[in-house]
Amino acid sequence: MAVLSPRLSERLTGVAYQLGWKVICRFPESWARRVFMAVADVAWRRQGPKVQVLEANLRRVLSYRDRDPAVDGKELRALSRAALRSYARYWLEVFRLPVIPVEQIVSGMHFHGPGEEALFAHLNSGRGAIIALPHMGNFEQAGAWIIAEGAGTFTTVAERLKPESVYESFVRFRQTLGFEVLPLTGGAGPFVTLATRLRAGHLVCLVSDRDLKETGIEVELLGEKARIAATAALAVHTGAALMPTATWFEEDGWGACIYDEIPVPASGTRAEKVAAMSQQLADVFSAAIAEHPQDWHMLQRVFLADLDPARQPPPSVPSPGPPSRGPRGGPRGYGGRVAPRNGGVWGGRPPEEMQP
């Protein structure tokens, strides 16, 4: 079997994504959906390396949700198939988003909890806000929704991808939606610009359940040690409101919940404050993922036990204390629990091909 050179493979990947935006939006949605679901099912049956990583992550979700280390293999396989189909829906919608009417984006978004009002209250008062999300649902649709609802624009960060043409295509795509996109690498770093935007009372949206620069914060996520992005450091540094958010798919649209603000602790060193806030953020992510596990599109290793020990950086801050719990035993926000199960970064998501 012929093996493509890395350079040729990157060029073909770039062409494929360009064709995705130019061609898929011209097909009837029902046809395109059948094709994407079929591709997802093929990837699931082949059970390549990325699917194995996905299932390892989902195994933690089931164990955390059921409070049982023993996970039924059939349930795990069914969940991984649903997750790949959800991931396929994400890509289908990304390619079709330019032709989806704004009215459909707005009317199809079903919000749960009071966080939407709190977010806009912060922005209207001139206080910056940080939306921190896990890799769930459709970030781009949610971003288009929040702009249509009056946020104006927001700033996010994107991982620089290979080939460069794919990264540039994603930047252009997100810019057409009204996003300001900063590169994660290849420059002075996005922190200063993000802090400037927040101090000016603007909105920043960051996918935060994965450490992309090996400078993240060690937390307990879904019952295991993991590293997440140090998004809380922006809130400590600027005083902006840190608001955990989750998005997911629903049969007739999209679901989302903006949870209560995670306040900056009144005492402690800067590192201790960032650690404590990061753990609270991870608590919300854990509960949201457990409510909608099929919509967590984590095809990368995120737990410390799965990472190469030689690549694990030393902890950047002390380990946080016990997680903050809401009045009903869950994470703070939406009455101490996540949105109901029947309810259903932006930036940072690297486009993953559905292949082993």
Side-chain angles (χ1 to χ4, degrees):
M1 179 184 293
V3 178
L4 298 178
S5 69
R7 191 170 182 178
L8 178 57
S9 179
E10 288 183 1
R11 290 181 62 185
L12 291 175
T13 299
V15 170
Y17 280 105
Q18 292 291 340
L19 288 175
W21 271 295
K22 293 179 179 179
V23 175
I24 292 175
C25 62
R26 300 177 185 273
F27 278 79
E29 182 180 0
S30 59
W31 295 6
R33 184 177 296 275
R34 283 196 292 270
V35 171
F36 273 67
M37 294 304 110
V39 171
D41 287 345
V42 169
W44 175 76
R45 284 193 294 269
R46 293 175 66 179
Q47 205 171 6
K50 288 189 181 298
V51 176
Q52 293 176 34
V53 171
L54 173 66
E55 291 191 349
N57 292 333
L58 293 176
R59 180 180 294 275
R60 270 76 168 216
V61 180
L62 293 176
S63 179
Y64 173 86
R65 185 195 67 187
D66 300 335
R67 299 183 181 183
D68 185 354
V71 173
D72 180 78
K74 290 183 178 179
E75 182 181 11
L76 177 62
R77 284 293 285 159
L79 178 58
S80 68
R81 183 187 186 193
L84 283 174
R85 282 177 156 245
S86 172
Y87 193 41
R89 175 176 169 177
Y90 164 76
W91 280 110
L92 173 61
E93 291 183 356
V94 163
F95 290 134
R96 291 186 57 83
L97 197 56
V99 299
I100 298 178
V102 174
E103 295 78 10
Q104 181 179 342
I105 292 174
V106 172
S107 64
M109 175 62 91
H110 307 138
F111 248 92
H112 305 266
E116 177 187 354
E117 295 179 4
L119 171 64
F120 281 100
H122 289 313
L123 297 176
N124 291 335
S125 69
R127 184 188 182 196
I130 306 165
I131 292 291
L133 312 96
H135 285 74
M136 291 178 64
N138 188 332
F139 317 131
E140 281 76 17
Q141 177 275 333
W145 172 86
I146 205 167
I147 289 174
E149 286 293 282
T153 186
F154 63 81
T155 305
T156 187
V157 175
E159 184 178 6
R160 191 175 290 276
L161 308 166
K162 291 184 179 181
E164 185 75 9
S165 61
V166 173
Y167 168 75
E168 292 173 350
S169 295
F170 262 83
V171 169
R172 286 194 298 269
F173 165 61
R174 286 166 173 160
Q175 287 173 338
T176 62
L177 299 176
F179 306 3
E180 179 189 19
V181 184
L182 307 177
L184 179 67
T185 57
F191 190 91
V192 172
T193 302
L194 293 172
T196 300
R197 299 292 184 269
L198 291 169
R199 289 197 179 99
H202 295 176
L203 179 63
V204 165
C205 302
L206 299 170
V207 177
S208 305
D209 61 340
R210 179 172 167 239
D211 177 21
L212 292 174
K213 296 187 70 176
E214 297 186 348
T215 58
I217 309 300
E218 184 174 308
V219 296
E220 185 174 287
L221 178 72
L222 295 164
E224 286 199 26
K225 293 295 184 182
R227 284 185 178 274
I228 65 173
T231 304
L234 277 169
V236 173
H237 189 67
T238 65
L242 176 60
M243 306 193 73
T245 301
T247 60
W248 59 87
F249 290 124
E250 296 183 350
E251 186 174 349
D252 59 343
W254 307 271
C257 182
I258 300 177
Y259 300 90
D260 291 344
E261 175 188 351
I262 297 176
V264 178
S267 61
T269 65
R270 179 180 181 277
E272 289 169 345
K273 292 177 180 179
V274 172
M277 295 173 72
S278 296
Q279 184 58 62
Q280 291 181 60
L281 187 62
D283 292 340
V284 179
F285 287 172
S286 295
I289 292 167
E291 283 286 334
H292 308 279
Q294 71 280 0
D295 293 322
W296 190 38
H297 307 148
M298 184 55 73
L299 280 76
Q300 303 93 1
R301 292 179 175 86
V302 66
F303 297 100
L304 296 189
D306 294 340
L307 299 176
D308 180 356
R311 296 183 58 191
Q312 293 185 24
S316 55
V317 295
S319 296
S324 173
R325 311 306 292 178
R328 302 187 187 179
R332 296 192 179 276
Y334 202 63
R337 60 186 174 89
V338 295
R341 201 178 284 275
N342 61 2
V345 217
W346 301 296
R349 176 195 292 262
E352 311 259 1
E353 293 173 291
M354 251 188 246
Q355 61 181 21

